[in-house]
Amino acid sequence: MKRRTEIDEKTASLALQSLARALAGLSKPEEVRGFLQDLCTPAELEAMADRWRVVPLILKGVPYREIHELTEVSVTTIGRVARTLETGTGGYAAALRRQQSRTSASN
């Protein structure tokens, strides 16, 4: 990550809130995908997609090594996602619930 001068917490929080609003304002997966591709580097997108891919497997209780074998995502990354699921802000769980409810509604 590049180093930059310290920005105050309020400025950082406002910037993150602005980004969250931009994402929330997009209603179609294709729009979100385009926004993410414009916003992120290929490596950043790969890292985020890897993290998201392992969430359901962790929640199902699949062992880390098996997740690694299935996805080729590093065990370190799998562990970080698992810790975030336990101690994070609930974002993964909220997104997964929303995704599952949309899938159920379309069936």
Side-chain angles (χ1 to χ4, degrees), residues 51-79:
R51 291 179 196 133
W52 183 242
R53 267 191 321 153
V54 303
V55 167
L57 297 170
I58 292 168
L59 292 173
K60 287 180 185 172
V62 177
Y64 291 9
R65 290 276 173 209
E66 189 176 336
I67 294 172
H68 169 70
E69 290 168 11
L70 290 168
T71 64
E72 297 184 0
V73 173
S74 76
V75 174
T76 301
T77 295
I78 295 164

Side-chain angles (χ1 to χ4, degrees):
M1 183 178 280
K2 82 177 186 182
R3 295 183 83 74
R4 61 181 180 177
T5 58
E6 293 271 333
I7 58 173
D8 64 80
E9 271 187 54
K10 184 178 179 182
T11 301
S13 179
L14 289 172
L16 183 57
Q17 187 64 28
S18 176
L19 177 60
R21 280 193 194 103
L23 281 164
L26 301 170
S27 59
K28 296 179 182 169
E30 307 82 43
E31 294 172 337
V32 175
R33 182 184 179 130
F35 180 76
L36 290 172
Q37 286 177 313
D38 287 348
L39 181 68
C40 302
T41 66
E44 290 166 335
L45 287 171
E46 181 180 14
M48 288 188 290
D50 283 349
R51 291 179 196 133
W52 183 242
R53 267 191 321 153
V54 303
V55 167
L57 297 170
I58 292 168
L59 292 173
K60 287 180 185 172
V62 177
Y64 291 9
R65 290 276 173 209
E66 189 176 336
I67 294 172
H68 169 70
E69 290 168 11
L70 290 168
T71 64
E72 297 184 0
V73 173
S74 76
V75 174
T76 301
T77 295
I78 295 164
R80 283 188 191 128
V81 172
R83 276 191 307 280
T84 301
L85 281 165
E86 290 177 18
T87 62
T89 61
Y92 281 137
L96 194 59
R97 277 193 309 274
R98 179 70 57 96
Q99 187 178 54
Q100 289 170 340
S101 69
R102 277 191 221 126
T103 303
S104 296
S106 66
N107 288 334

